[in-house]
Amino acid sequence: MVVAVWVSSYVLRLIMIKLALSFRRLGLKLSVMALLALPSLAGAQVYFTSTGIGDLNAGFRKTGTHQETTEIVAYLGNVTNVLALPAGTVVNMATNFNTIALANMCPDGFNFLQWSVFSTFTSDTWTNCIGIYPGGTTWYTVPRTNVNVQTKPVNRFTPSSAPSLVASMYNVSYGANFLSAQLSTTNVNNNTLLVAEPIADGPGFIMDAYIGSGNFGGSVLTFSVENNTSNSFSSPVVSDFYQNVPTSKSGVINVDPITGLTNGTAYEVGYFTLNPNGTLAFTRTFSLNASTTNGPSPLKVGFSTTATNTTTITNWVWNFGNGTSVTNTTGENVTNTYAAAGTYTVTLTVYSAGGSTSVSSSIVVSSSSSAKPLLGIAAVGGKFIITGTNGPVSQQYRILTSTNLLTLLSNWTPIYTNTVQGNSTFGYTNGIGPTNSFFIMESP
């Protein structure tokens, strides 16, 4: 019963946000009409697909002085379709994305085009072929300045900020379904996979109403998810596609099902490429994770990767940047020790029948230092608090607990994982319970 109430409250928050957005833009009458009409349209197969569960949508529009009379929302399938792809796989979205409709929308060509890809779900949690996703998880694009250089991942959002972003993203699909039904006919510009939304006919339901200036209202995102083509669009443009799982906070443990981490930065799933002819492609990449990215010599670093469907990969080649490399065929984690100070570029290349793909990361090693991490332990206001300084920046640590001090370490329960902050501090806080508990902090 408790779980049912919590789920209902989460859905209620989304509904309230939808109501607030609609009331502000359209007034009471049209908002009520939308709430009455949209649920009955969701199952109509001749209209644009809107499931509320991981819809992967692409949005295309022109605004300002280059404003067009329509904008396009295209359904690219479920987001799990791209999450489950093997590393290095390239998928042409032609079966989902209709370039004819895009050409109809842009009679003057694909220059000055704003485009993005995003996804979310509206339930408390979502269990799929990848794992269990906490409510508030979102996927979105970040445009590259250099098509060959990945953008810097942003930090994962807090659980309290995520619902408003979920509501705005979902409303794009929700509104597209409504406007698709209003157009009545099924054609190249209006079907289950795509709808060209007439801007004049539905100002409160078009993508513009929810994506705003590209940041879905700006209450959570501080950047635009939209990539803009130039006035002479003649070479491909690329946007990285990130998965952002809410962080753990206030006793709620939110685990990214791909990386296994509870905090940190968003995970790059891959990247989308828009070509000058209007075709859209997705490339599945993978991340190279390091147990620490800097510290004094000798620095031992553990490396792992988050590639999925690894059965298609034949070789994994790790080049640590210090003259040492490792080749294996199973993708298991590897370690390397950096004896001398310096900056090293670590590159992992994976090979399969379709070719190879690489990802790199930097390791900064400083001279040996006598400064050692310092720990402080206190009990304040009924809470048990650990504070630390002089920690190696970005190094991961975790807290384990047990009610029996003599229990084997392998049987202690991990309850918290984080990384040392940029100012070399780290810590942990827990409530003091009625029974004896013991805690261990460990780091690679």
Side-chain angles (χ1 to χ4, degrees):
M1 180 63 69
V2 174
V3 173
V5 171
W6 200 95
V7 171
S8 297
S9 66
Y10 185 90
V11 174
L12 179 61
R13 288 199 300 273
L14 295 180
I15 292 174
M16 292 302 293
I17 292 170
K18 286 197 278 283
L19 276 170
L21 288 170
S22 298
F23 287 172
R24 184 170 68 249
R25 295 186 176 98
L26 296 176
L28 177 62
K29 182 177 180 180
L30 189 54
S31 298
V32 173
M33 178 197 72
L35 290 174
L36 292 175
L38 285 173
S40 64
L41 297 174
Q45 294 304 305
V46 296
Y47 304 126
F48 180 81
T49 300
S50 178
T51 69
I53 308 175
D55 294 334
L56 184 62
N57 292 319
F60 302 87
R61 62 177 181 157
K62 290 186 179 183
T63 60
T65 57
H66 307 288
Q67 181 78 62
E68 296 289 354
T69 57
T70 61
E71 61 183 22
I72 286 178
V73 179
Y75 176 73
L76 304 182
N78 195 277
V79 70
T80 55
N81 293 342
V82 296
L83 293 174
L85 290 172
T89 302
V90 179
V91 178
N92 189 334
M93 297 294 178
T95 55
N96 299 83
F97 174 59
N98 187 340
T99 55
I100 297 176
L102 185 59
N104 292 340
M105 174 195 140
C106 307
D108 297 327
F110 301 140
N111 52 316
F112 300 112
L113 181 65
Q114 299 160 239
W115 65 278
S116 58
V117 183
F118 45 89
S119 180
T120 191
F121 57 92
T122 56
S123 56
D124 173 31
T125 59
W126 179 31
T127 302
N128 55 44
C129 60
I130 305 299
I132 301 175
Y133 281 92
T137 299
T138 53
W139 293 265
Y140 51 83
T141 46
V142 178
R144 290 186 182 183
T145 303
N146 183 329
V147 295
N148 297 312
V149 179
Q150 180 190 341
T151 54
K152 182 179 180 180
V154 301
N155 290 329
R156 289 165 61 175
F157 305 135
T158 62
S160 59
S161 65
S164 61
L165 181 59
V166 169
S168 293
M169 283 189 178
Y170 172 64
N171 274 335
V172 173
S173 180
Y174 198 73
N177 175 256
F178 174 75
L179 291 178
S180 177
Q182 299 305 298
L183 295 174
S184 300
T185 58
T186 297
N187 53 44
V188 69
N189 297 315
N190 181 37
N191 49 67
T192 57
L193 301 180
L194 180 147
V195 58
E197 302 179 328
I199 293 176
D201 293 344
F205 293 104
I206 60 174
M207 179 177 59
D208 279 353
Y210 303 111
I211 197 171
S213 59
N215 57 8
F216 292 99
S219 61
V220 181
L221 297 180
T222 58
F223 54 89
S224 175
V225 301
E226 291 184 304
N227 203 326
N228 301 328
T229 61
S230 65
N231 61 345
S232 57
F233 184 29
S234 58
S235 59
V237 289
V238 176
S239 286
D240 291 307
F241 188 58
Y242 287 99
Q243 170 178 291
N244 200 316
V245 176
T247 58
S248 296
K249 190 177 182 180
S250 302
V252 177
I253 306 299
N254 287 331
V255 179
D256 186 314
I258 293 182
T259 67
L261 300 178
T262 57
N263 288 286
T265 58
Y267 164 72
E268 189 197 22
V269 179
Y271 57 87
F272 284 92
T273 302
L274 181 67
N275 298 297
N277 64 355
T279 58
L280 185 69
F282 174 76
T283 302
R284 181 66 164 100
T285 56
F286 55 92
S287 292
L288 190 163
N289 299 323
S291 58
T292 182
T293 56
N294 59 73
S297 62
L299 181 65
K300 184 178 181 179
V301 184
F303 297 98
S304 62
T305 179
T306 52
T308 57
N309 283 5
T310 56
T311 54
T312 62
I313 299 175
T314 56
N315 280 298
W316 309 67
V317 179
W318 309 77
N319 189 317
F320 301 115
N322 65 342
T324 304
S325 63
V326 170
T327 299
N328 55 38
T329 58
T330 58
E332 69 266 16
N333 299 345
V334 296
T335 60
N336 184 64
T337 299
Y338 295 89
T343 299
Y344 302 90
T345 299
V346 183
T347 301
L348 170 61
T349 303
V350 298
Y351 294 85
S352 65
S356 65
T357 185
S358 300
V359 64
S360 298
S361 181
S362 293
I363 303 295
V364 179
V365 182
S366 58
S367 300
S368 298
S369 172
S370 58
K372 302 296 182 182
L374 301 176
L375 280 176
I377 301 175
V380 180
K383 294 184 179 297
F384 168 67
I385 302 173
I386 298 175
T387 57
T389 59
N390 292 343
V393 176
S394 297
Q395 177 145 328
Q396 187 180 92
Y397 65 92
R398 66 175 185 164
I399 305 293
L400 302 93
T401 187
S402 175
T403 56
N404 185 349
L405 184 61
L406 301 180
T407 300
L408 291 174
L409 182 59
S410 59
N411 293 328
W412 285 54
T413 302
I415 56 173
Y416 183 72
T417 301
N418 208 338
T419 55
V420 177
Q421 303 301 302
N423 60 0
S424 299
T425 61
F426 54 97
Y428 172 71
T429 300
N430 199 346
I432 299 176
T435 60
N436 292 331
S437 295
F438 302 91
F439 298 86
I440 289 178
M441 176 180 287
E442 69 170 9
S443 180

